[in-house]
Amino acid sequence: MATIRLGDKAPDFTADSSMGTINLYDYLGDSWGILFSHPADFTPVCTTELGTASKFKNEFDKRNVKMLALSVDGAASHAEWIKDINEVQNTTVNFPIIADEDKKVSHLYDMIHPNADNNLTVRSVFIIAPDKSVKLTLTYPASTGRNFYELLRVIDSLQLTAYHKVATPANWEHGKDVVVSPAISTAVAKEMFPKGVTEIKPYLRMTPDPTA
Ligand code: BEZ
């Protein structure tokens, strides 16, 4: 499978999961989606990630994002592992984990990087828009757990910039000033953004977050 690049259609698949058979496109419907892989069941960092993800589900729901995890073990193993996650993370895993025992989805999404590990997936993240295009990819090594605040932050940026002609600057968070898209003249920007436009340089114009 070729590398999946930004703007590509997310490949569809049907796979077993901790919640039964799942088809990606049916599962996502008209929602945004986040697909994230885990090296294996009963591993410590993954246990903390899945517990954290479960606690963040309300935040993903608010943003209309459906969560879908993946690990290269079977559904029976996932069921046992989920009991542990719920216990040690004091939560209830509330989204499906794909049971990718045959590594079909891992290969489809290029989640196995042989120079890192021949058999286990790396920690991949794919954020998928309602039109099924891939809007963001991230790759972390097995030894580094992901920051779920950062995942929410990038989703806020992706959703804002999908619907408004703006971009988000370094370390931006919802509610902070945004950058006017370089494709728009300052004169047009002043009409488009009634909260005001500050021209720092002709190519660097700021405006308050239009959704805040
Ligand atoms: C973990 O999830 O803790 C882990 C998995 C594979 C390699 C290293 C760490």
Side-chain angles (χ1 to χ4, degrees):
M1 174 69 204
T3 304
I4 296 172
R5 294 179 174 167
L6 301 191
D8 291 355
K9 268 281 179 254
D12 196 16
F13 58 81
T14 298
D16 195 14
S17 85
S18 57
M19 295 185 174
T21 303
I22 276 203
N23 171 264
L24 177 70
Y25 282 17
D26 290 346
Y27 174 69
L28 295 181
D30 294 329
S31 301
W32 288 70
I34 180 165
L35 170 64
F36 52 110
S37 60
H38 297 273
D41 291 6
F42 301 103
T43 48
V45 175
C46 299
T47 299
T48 65
E49 284 194 320
L50 286 169
T52 301
S54 305
K55 291 175 191 166
F56 274 57
K57 184 166 183 296
N58 276 350
E59 292 299 323
F60 286 100
D61 285 348
K62 274 192 220 162
R63 293 161 175 83
N64 190 28
V65 179
K66 289 203 171 156
M67 305 163 80
L68 184 55
L70 174 149
S71 177
V72 292
D73 291 297
S77 167
H78 285 1
E80 290 307 308
W81 185 32
I82 285 168
K83 285 184 204 162
D84 279 4
I85 298 167
N86 291 345
E87 179 197 328
V88 302
Q89 293 287 303
N90 194 22
T91 188
T92 301
V93 173
N94 42 21
F95 52 84
I97 306 173
I98 295 167
D100 197 33
E101 234 174 338
D102 61 4
K103 303 193 175 89
K104 184 181 79 177
V105 179
S106 303
H107 287 304
L108 186 63
Y109 275 77
D110 199 22
M111 291 165 167
I112 294 178
H113 297 195
N115 289 327
D117 191 297
N118 248 333
N119 294 309
L120 306 178
T121 65
V122 291
R123 298 187 194 281
S124 300
V125 180
F126 295 88
I127 296 179
I128 302 168
D131 67 0
K132 309 296 181 290
S133 62
V134 173
K135 292 297 184 192
L136 179 125
T137 65
L138 286 169
T139 308
Y140 285 58
S143 51
T144 303
R146 284 157 285 205
N147 183 327
F148 283 77
Y149 292 107
E150 170 61 4
L151 297 180
L152 293 175
R153 191 193 75 84
V154 292
I155 287 166
D156 285 343
S157 172
L158 292 171
Q159 294 185 338
L160 178 69
T161 59
Y163 305 121
H164 297 271
K165 292 193 182 313
V166 297
T168 59
N171 293 342
W172 176 85
E173 291 169 356
H174 172 70
K176 291 188 176 171
D177 287 357
V178 297
V179 169
V180 174
S181 167
I184 297 172
S185 70
T186 300
V188 171
K190 283 183 175 162
E191 285 170 23
M192 194 176 275
F193 302 108
K195 290 179 182 172
V197 173
T198 306
E199 189 179 271
I200 298 166
K201 289 279 179 190
Y203 59 85
L204 175 57
R205 290 86 40 89
M206 305 299 292
T207 189
D209 181 340
T211 65

